[in-house]
Amino acid sequence: MTPAATPSSKRPGIAQVAKLAGVAVGTVSNVLNHPDRVSPRTRTKVEQIIKELGYVPNASARALNKGRSTLIGAIFFDISNPFFADSSHAIDQVARSRGATMIYTGTEQLPEVERAALKRFVDLGVDAIVVCSTGGNDDALEQLVDLGIPVLAFAQRSESAKIPAVCIDDQRGMELIAAHLLGLGHESFCFISEHRQAIQHRDRLAGFHRALAAQGSADGCLQLNIASGPTWMEGYREVQQFIATNQQLPDCFVCLNDYTAFGASKALTEAGLVPGIDVAVTGYDDLTFTELLATPLTTIHQPITAMADYAANALLDVVEGRATDLVGKVFAPELIVRQSTVPILHDNE
């Protein structure tokens, strides 16, 4: 037995087999499930490592993998958000059209849950991973890349040079929101953000502040940090509490996403205020429901279908050998102006 293959107290996984054999995880998966797809020399090498490690594939993973060609794992930090529901549906459509299968999970924006999900996906023998990371797991994601598993960041940029991304320019998106509000005469803002600060959240906040600073209005922005995540319920609670504890409201509630803006609008309406007239509200994502609200929402459009199509096809092209390198893409944000933002008149006008 080679020193590198000495068993540890932990059960060996498929990633360990791949690393010691010097092949991709997908190759190990093929040795186990489709040996005819692997050259005899590589198959013998992998089988020897499996024997030395005493690796035993998870039974449920073997059952899932048997007979399939390509498996894409998707990890999103909030699957309750319609944005990720729409994204996973679009990715799945592309995967199925190309004979592949997609499995997905959510992390509730907890890094430890995300890390555990990555391990489960590796044990299942996924061929590629698309992830909207909650942050803090770049090392784990880079290890997967080093093992030969293509990893693509989705809906936000990656801070790792090894992981390309498919996203829109979030800083530019919030700059468009800020410029629009300033142009309407708004002077005071409440930015509803999220305390864990995933990359997209940090970029959106930075873009908004930068645009205000460029116009000398940086002092007019208050930030509310949502405790448990940017959901409609948290947006509702934050604005409800703000109304109850503050005599003066800002000109506009600038929300991290449409989901939060929906909750903010509900709280304003219940307080007898009309979004867009008494207080402006903006969102981000341009989800389907935003134009169906009592006061249609001004927001930033993300081309979800185009982004998902690109991401799924890019991953599958690499897995199937149609492309050598995984290349990301940054889409341009588009400001969608609706009735939730209107020109404002101050007392001195």
Side-chain angles (χ1 to χ4, degrees), residues 138-301:
D138 280 354
D139 59 334
L141 293 169
E142 289 176 349
Q143 286 175 11
L144 298 184
V145 174
D146 292 340
L147 288 171
I149 301 177
V151 177
L152 188 65
F154 184 79
Q156 64 181 7
R157 65 181 176 85
S158 170
E159 292 183 307
S160 169
K162 292 184 177 182
I163 303 171
V166 174
C167 60
I168 70 169
D169 185 340
D170 279 315
Q171 292 198 26
R172 178 57 183 158
M174 271 302 176
E175 287 175 354
L176 293 175
I177 289 282
H180 169 66
L181 294 172
L182 291 170
L184 293 176
H186 294 276
E187 297 178 350
S188 60
F189 312 92
C190 183
F191 193 103
I192 303 179
S193 186
E194 184 268 334
H195 80 287
R196 294 189 186 94
Q197 295 286 283
I199 297 171
Q200 67 171 213
H201 302 171
R202 284 188 275 127
D203 282 352
R204 292 175 189 180
L205 182 60
F208 191 76
H209 277 297
R210 185 167 62 197
L212 293 186
Q215 298 298 320
S217 302
D219 293 338
C221 185
L222 170 69
Q223 183 178 349
L224 289 181
N225 286 320
I226 293 174
S228 60
T231 66
W232 79 266
M233 180 56 73
E234 293 303 321
Y236 171 78
R237 289 172 179 166
E238 288 294 334
V239 173
Q240 187 181 54
Q241 183 177 4
F242 188 95
I243 293 172
T245 56
N246 291 271
Q247 293 184 344
Q248 185 172 357
L249 295 179
D251 293 339
C252 181
F253 284 101
V254 180
C255 300
L256 186 67
N257 57 31
D258 290 343
Y259 209 24
T260 307
F262 171 71
S265 297
K266 177 177 171 60
L268 290 170
T269 300
E270 289 185 0
L273 300 168
V274 180
I277 296 179
D278 297 309
V279 185
V281 180
T282 64
Y284 200 106
D285 289 337
D286 195 25
L287 300 175
T288 304
F289 71 78
T290 55
E291 57 183 332
L292 303 177
L293 297 174
T295 303
L297 186 67
T298 292
T299 186
I300 291 295
H301 176 71

Side-chain angles (χ1 to χ4, degrees), residues 314-334:
L315 285 170
L316 289 170
D317 283 348
V318 170
V319 171
E320 296 172 2
R322 299 170 184 263
T324 303
D325 298 318
L326 188 60
V327 180
K329 182 174 182 178
V330 178
F331 289 78
E334 179 186 359

